[in-house]
């Protein structure tokens, strides 16, 4: 199988911060807003370099979303930064009316998504945000897998007109995608070709999917691995092509199995090419305090869980 | 610029448009619309520096945001009669496939509308955002907004009120329609809001009052004064007392016409009190 190397673990939020720093230099229309989490979101460089284009709104996310919507009028491209929980659930109606329905060019950038936020516990560990955002008409939903991809995505979404939800996380994770990658919104990335099972992963689970594929290879199972960074619009053609070949699929995401990537894949299959599917995701539950590794183990979101699900789904073919 | 009589005529026609729109589809919000007929007419006909035509960015012109989107009948009438779209289109208010949705939206591409509103409490934040962008762009034009008094019960307003003062958003004039009514009754019965002027002042705004928001001269005087106070480091709030349902005697001084349309007989009475001045659509 194709080898991927961790070039040095980094947090995806730093990919966002560094992407934003580059945008600050290259795109004078980019403005940034933050709700009292500048350090956590790694927005400090942008703030320092472009104080006139940085807006600290305090702990007031609803106001931040409204201000961002208003700032598009006159040609600015606002990037909002706060935790995923406060970027979505807390401000759903503001996003729905003032951004999505109003077709405003706002980039909602959300860190600390999912269980890997860790010790802060369930109040902050949103596992429903992909579902909330993908249900909004016109919203693009992106969940990146490593530092390099997050940086590339941050830069790419500035060029895309329309509302975008960009989801990333807190912990340092393997950095394995190319530094010079071209990020194409809505395009799946085929990481490994295989014939027995397709593993479709997003976010932090993509690296786990690669580890799982290696383990499966040792067991004589050939796994195809697809990195879906864009959950909406979904690259249905790539998914169907792969499952047409392997005949079964495991989806893997740091999100509730209700409303996440897995459901989008299932819908695609039901409409086009029904096939057995297993879900590596949280099972309609809240999280809890713990280290990221402990939580991913407890809630079954790692390579071992993907291996198990793959073996199970192959038997269902 | 129109003289006072011309503005009176304009407002009379706007009132006819309001009651005719809601009567035709037996739905919509005439009460608050009638109460704000003078204010929105004066804004578009007298106060705002507007460009010909419409583009979303609105660079180089004053902008207006309607936060209490349910008073769409008055907004649509004034927009149409200020040249943003054909007056006949008022015939399509709330009908299927119309650009004149129950609450204003950009979604159907209606010229003159820059944000969707209807879910209350969001417009002040949007207006602040637009004002921020005007500052970054070096655009000296102003941003106006209108909010219902009951709408101030939504907490997002107070986030925005705090922000605008702290960040010295002084190219913004936010007007509160103080008609003391909301759907369930008098604001003092539903949720008393106390001294709104004192609250804005306590948050650091420059506040002035228009005692009779249904008197065109007073509205002009108040808004001129508000304009003169912009650019001085504070956002400007106008607390404007109006009578819900103003201009149609049986709709006045009650919340009952907040969201109820007149029947045929009531329509005739309402129209008889507001002469056709510029031609019905």
């Amino acid at each position: 199988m194709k080898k991927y190397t961790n070039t040095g673990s980094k947090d995806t939020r730093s990919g966002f911060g560094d992407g934003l720093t580059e945008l600050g230099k290259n795109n004078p229309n980019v403005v940034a807003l933050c709700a009292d989490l500048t350090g956590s979101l790694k927005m400090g460089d942008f703030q320092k370099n472009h104080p006139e284009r940085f807006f600290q709104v305090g702990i007031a996310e609803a106001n931040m979303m409204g201000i961002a919507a208003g700032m598009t009028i006159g040609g600015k491209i606002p990037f909002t930064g706060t935790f995923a929980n406060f970027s979505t659930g807390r401000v759903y109606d503001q996003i729905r009316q003032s951004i999505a329905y109003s077709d405003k060019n706002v980039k909602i950038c959300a860190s600390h998504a999912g269980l890997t936020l860790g010790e802060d516990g369930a109040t902050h560990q949103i596992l429903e945000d992909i579902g909330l955002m993908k249900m909004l008409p016109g919203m693009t939903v992106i969940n990146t897998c490593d530092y390099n991809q997050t940086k590339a995505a941050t830069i790419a979404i500035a060029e895309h007109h329309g509302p975008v939800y960009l989801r990333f996380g807190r912990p340092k994770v393997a950095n394995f995608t190319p530094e010079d990658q071209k990020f194409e919104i809505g395009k799946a990335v085929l990481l490994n070709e295989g014939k027995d099972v397709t593993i479709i992963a997003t976010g932090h689970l993509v690296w786990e999917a690669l580890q799982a594929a290696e383990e499966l290879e040792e067991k004589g199972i050939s796994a195809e691995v697809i990195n879906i960074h864009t959950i909406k619009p979904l690259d249905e053609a790539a998914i169907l092509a792969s499952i047409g070949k392997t005949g079964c699929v495991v989806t893997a995401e740091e999100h509730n199995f209700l409303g996440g990537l897995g459901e989008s894949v299932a819908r695609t299959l039901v409409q086009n090419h029904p096939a057995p599917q297993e879900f590596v995701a949280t099972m309609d539950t809240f999280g809890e305090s713990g280290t990221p590794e402990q939580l991913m183990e407890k809630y079954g979101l790692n390579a071992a869980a993907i291996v198990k699900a793959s073996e199970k789904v192959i038997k269902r073919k | 610029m129109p003289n006072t009589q011309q503005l009176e005529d304009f407002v009379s026609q706007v009132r006819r448009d309001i009651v005719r729109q809601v009567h035709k589809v037996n739905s919509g919000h005439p009460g608050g619309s009638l109460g704000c007929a003078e204010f929105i007419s004066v804004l578009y006909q007298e106060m705002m520096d507007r460009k010909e035509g419409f583009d979303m960015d609105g660079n180089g012109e004053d902008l207006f945001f309607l936060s209490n989107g349910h008073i769409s009948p008055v907004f649509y009438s004034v927009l149409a009669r200020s040249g943003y779209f054909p007056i006949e289109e008022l015939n399509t208010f709330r009908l299927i496939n119309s650009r004149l949705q129950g609450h204003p939206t950009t979604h159907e591409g209606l010229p003159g509308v820059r944000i969707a509103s209807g879910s209350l409490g969001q417009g002040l934040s949007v207006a602040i955002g637009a004002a921020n962008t005007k500052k970054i762009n070096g655009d000296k034009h102003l941003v106006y907004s209108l909010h219902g008094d009951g709408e101030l019960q939504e907490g997002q307003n107070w986030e925005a009120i705090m922000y605008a003062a702290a960040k010295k958003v002084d190219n913004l004039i936010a007007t509160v329609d103080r008609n003391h009514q909301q759907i369930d009754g008098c604001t003092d019965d539903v949720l008393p809001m106390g001294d709104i002027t004192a609250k804005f002042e306590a948050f650091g705004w420059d506040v002035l009052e228009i005692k009779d928001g249904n008197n065109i001269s007073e509205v002009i005087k108040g808004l001129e004064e508000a304009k003169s106070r912009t650019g001085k480091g504070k956002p400007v709030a106008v607390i404007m007392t109006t009578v819900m349902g103003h201009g149609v005697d049986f709709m006045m001084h009650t919340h009952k016409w907040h969201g109820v349309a007149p029947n045929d007989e009531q329509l005739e009475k309402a129209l008889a009190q507001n002469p056709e001045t510029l031609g019905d659509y």
Side-chain angles (χ1 to χ4, degrees):
Chain A
M1 108 163 234
K2 200 170 167 194
K3 285 284 167 214
Y4 287 89
T5 311
N6 176 9
T7 57
S9 292
K10 282 184 174 180
D11 46 356
T12 50
R13 57 184 163 146
S14 285
F16 164 68
D18 291 347
L20 194 62
T21 300
E22 239 182 84
L23 283 173
K25 278 183 225 146
N26 301 329
N27 190 335
N29 282 327
V30 168
V31 298
L33 300 89
C34 188
D36 196 31
L37 286 170
T38 311
S40 296
L41 270 286
K42 308 292 180 188
M43 297 169 87
D45 278 351
F46 188 98
Q47 181 181 23
K48 194 175 72 208
N49 299 340
H50 312 284
E52 75 293 350
R53 285 193 271 147
F54 180 83
F55 297 82
Q56 170 61 269
V57 301
I59 312 165
E61 295 82 7
N63 189 39
M64 177 167 74
M65 292 305 169
I67 291 176
M71 288 196 75
T72 65
I73 299 163
K76 297 301 160 211
I77 308 170
F79 281 61
T80 66
T82 182
F83 289 171
N85 190 27
F86 313 135
S87 294
T88 57
R90 190 178 181 94
V91 290
Y92 197 64
D93 190 48
Q94 284 77 17
I95 295 175
R96 182 175 181 274
Q97 175 171 285
S98 294
I99 296 175
Y101 185 44
S102 294
D103 190 28
K104 295 302 181 214
N105 194 22
V106 176
K107 316 304 170 186
I108 302 162
C109 301
S111 184
H112 293 54
L115 292 173
T116 51
L117 168 140
E119 293 80 353
D120 277 349
T123 52
H124 290 51
Q125 290 161 340
I126 194 161
L127 295 163
E128 309 90 44
D129 53 324
I130 291 174
L132 287 171
M133 290 298 111
K134 81 177 186 184
M135 282 196 294
L136 289 172
M139 182 68 73
T140 294
V141 180
I142 297 171
N143 185 22
T144 47
C145 67
D146 71 356
Y147 169 91
N148 284 341
Q149 193 176 69
T150 310
K151 186 175 173 187
T154 303
I155 293 165
I157 61 176
E159 299 296 322
H160 167 87
H161 186 90
V164 174
Y165 179 60
L166 177 62
R167 179 196 213 234
F168 43 91
R170 172 179 182 242
K172 288 193 166 127
V173 293
N175 190 28
F176 60 96
T177 64
E179 199 180 345
D180 61 349
Q181 68 189 278
K182 181 171 163 16
F183 187 90
E184 289 184 81
I185 295 170
K187 270 288 194 208
V189 182
L190 179 60
L191 291 176
N192 189 56
E193 289 194 47
K195 58 183 176 44
D196 299 326
V197 60
T198 301
I199 303 171
I200 298 177
T202 190
H204 290 149
L205 270 292
V206 176
W207 178 250
E208 297 298 319
L210 288 171
Q211 307 312 300
E214 282 187 18
E215 274 187 53
L216 288 165
E217 189 179 40
E218 284 168 23
K219 297 179 178 209
I221 296 169
S222 161
E224 181 140 312
V225 181
I226 297 176
N227 173 6
I228 290 282
H229 50 62
T230 308
I231 291 151
K232 184 185 171 189
L234 189 66
D235 190 344
E236 299 190 1
I239 290 168
L240 290 168
S242 177
I243 294 163
K245 187 169 64 171
T246 64
C248 66
V249 59
V250 171
T251 51
E253 61 195 307
E254 190 181 347
H255 189 272
N256 195 350
F257 82 122
L258 300 174
L261 167 67
E263 271 198 358
S264 290
V265 170
R267 197 247 325 131
T268 303
L269 293 180
V270 166
Q271 285 185 309
N272 299 282
H273 181 94
Q277 178 178 354
E278 290 293 327
F279 295 76
V280 170
T282 56
M283 293 293 139
D284 200 19
T285 180
F286 292 105
E288 63 182 287
S289 291
T291 67
E293 298 74 26
Q294 287 170 337
L295 291 163
M296 296 298 262
E297 167 72 23
K298 177 168 178 178
Y299 289 85
L301 304 181
N302 54 19
I306 296 170
V307 168
K308 214 170 128 191
S310 299
E311 290 174 330
K312 186 175 173 192
V313 81
I314 288 168
K315 286 190 193 131
R316 289 176 54 207
K317 277 206 266 188
Chain B
M1 238 171 232
N3 61 36
T4 307
Q5 185 54 52
Q6 285 168 322
L7 281 169
E8 296 282 1
D9 290 348
F10 189 91
V11 170
S12 182
Q13 189 65 50
V14 166
R15 284 196 213 290
R16 292 177 69 86
D17 292 348
I18 292 168
V19 291
R20 291 182 69 231
Q21 284 175 83
V22 297
H23 168 265
K24 181 179 175 189
V25 290
N26 193 27
S27 78
H29 297 79
S33 296
L34 290 166
C36 290
E38 285 83 0
F39 174 77
I40 296 187
S41 298
V42 165
L43 260 190
Y44 277 82
Q45 291 295 305
E46 176 92 12
M47 296 302 301
M48 285 168 66
D49 180 16
R50 298 183 289 114
K51 289 189 301 200
E52 279 293 308
F54 176 75
D55 69 83
M56 182 56 77
D57 281 341
N59 290 320
E61 62 181 327
D62 291 341
L63 303 180
F64 170 67
F65 294 95
L66 179 70
S67 188
N68 47 333
H70 57 276
I71 68 166
S72 55
V74 62
F75 192 29
Y76 293 152
S77 168
V78 172
L79 286 179
R81 292 188 182 276
S82 300
Y84 286 93
F85 57 86
I87 294 165
E88 300 72 46
E89 204 168 337
L90 295 174
N91 257 320
T92 70
F93 175 65
R94 285 187 172 233
L95 295 180
I96 194 143
N97 299 323
S98 170
R99 300 196 292 182
L100 277 60
Q101 291 290 297
H103 294 80
T105 174
T106 60
H107 199 65
E108 320 300 332
L110 185 68
V113 181
R114 290 194 165 85
I115 196 82
S117 61
S119 175
L120 294 172
Q122 299 186 27
L124 186 55
S125 303
V126 173
I128 289 167
N132 280 347
T133 288
K134 287 221 175 285
K135 286 202 173 193
I136 300 175
N137 288 343
D139 181 347
K140 298 288 181 206
H141 286 84
L142 296 175
V143 176
Y144 294 89
S145 61
L146 179 64
H147 314 266
D149 52 356
E151 188 182 7
L152 295 178
Q153 291 160 1
E154 289 282 7
Q156 184 181 345
N157 283 305
W158 300 96
E159 295 181 2
I161 291 166
M162 186 183 291
Y163 177 95
K167 305 286 178 161
K168 302 183 169 49
V169 185
D170 60 2
N171 53 345
L172 168 68
I173 299 173
T175 298
V176 176
D177 174 21
R178 188 70 172 122
N179 62 19
H180 296 270
Q181 306 291 339
Q182 57 190 111
I183 301 181
D184 270 357
C186 176
T187 51
D188 284 341
D189 294 331
V190 177
L191 181 70
M193 287 174 286
D195 187 338
I196 292 173
T197 297
K199 283 179 177 156
F200 270 91
E201 280 171 351
F203 274 73
W205 286 55
D206 189 0
V207 190
L208 60 101
E209 296 181 352
I210 295 177
K211 297 288 184 197
D212 183 357
N214 298 117
N215 177 308
I216 285 173
S217 305
E218 280 210 33
V219 173
I220 293 173
K221 209 172 101 205
L223 286 176
E224 290 285 6
E225 173 67 20
K227 211 166 163 176
S228 76
R229 296 197 197 176
T230 58
K232 297 184 172 21
K234 287 183 174 189
V236 179
V238 178
I239 312 302
M240 176 180 72
T241 301
T242 69
V243 173
M244 191 183 248
H246 188 83
V248 177
D249 56 8
F250 59 90
M251 290 187 179
M252 290 168 70
H253 301 291
T254 171
H255 66 277
K256 297 212 169 78
W257 292 91
H258 169 93
V260 175
N263 62 26
D264 293 350
E265 191 188 330
Q266 289 161 336
L267 175 71
E268 287 314 311
K269 273 192 202 162
L271 292 177
Q273 295 170 28
N274 293 281
E276 183 178 353
T277 48
L278 306 175
D280 287 338
Y281 58 84

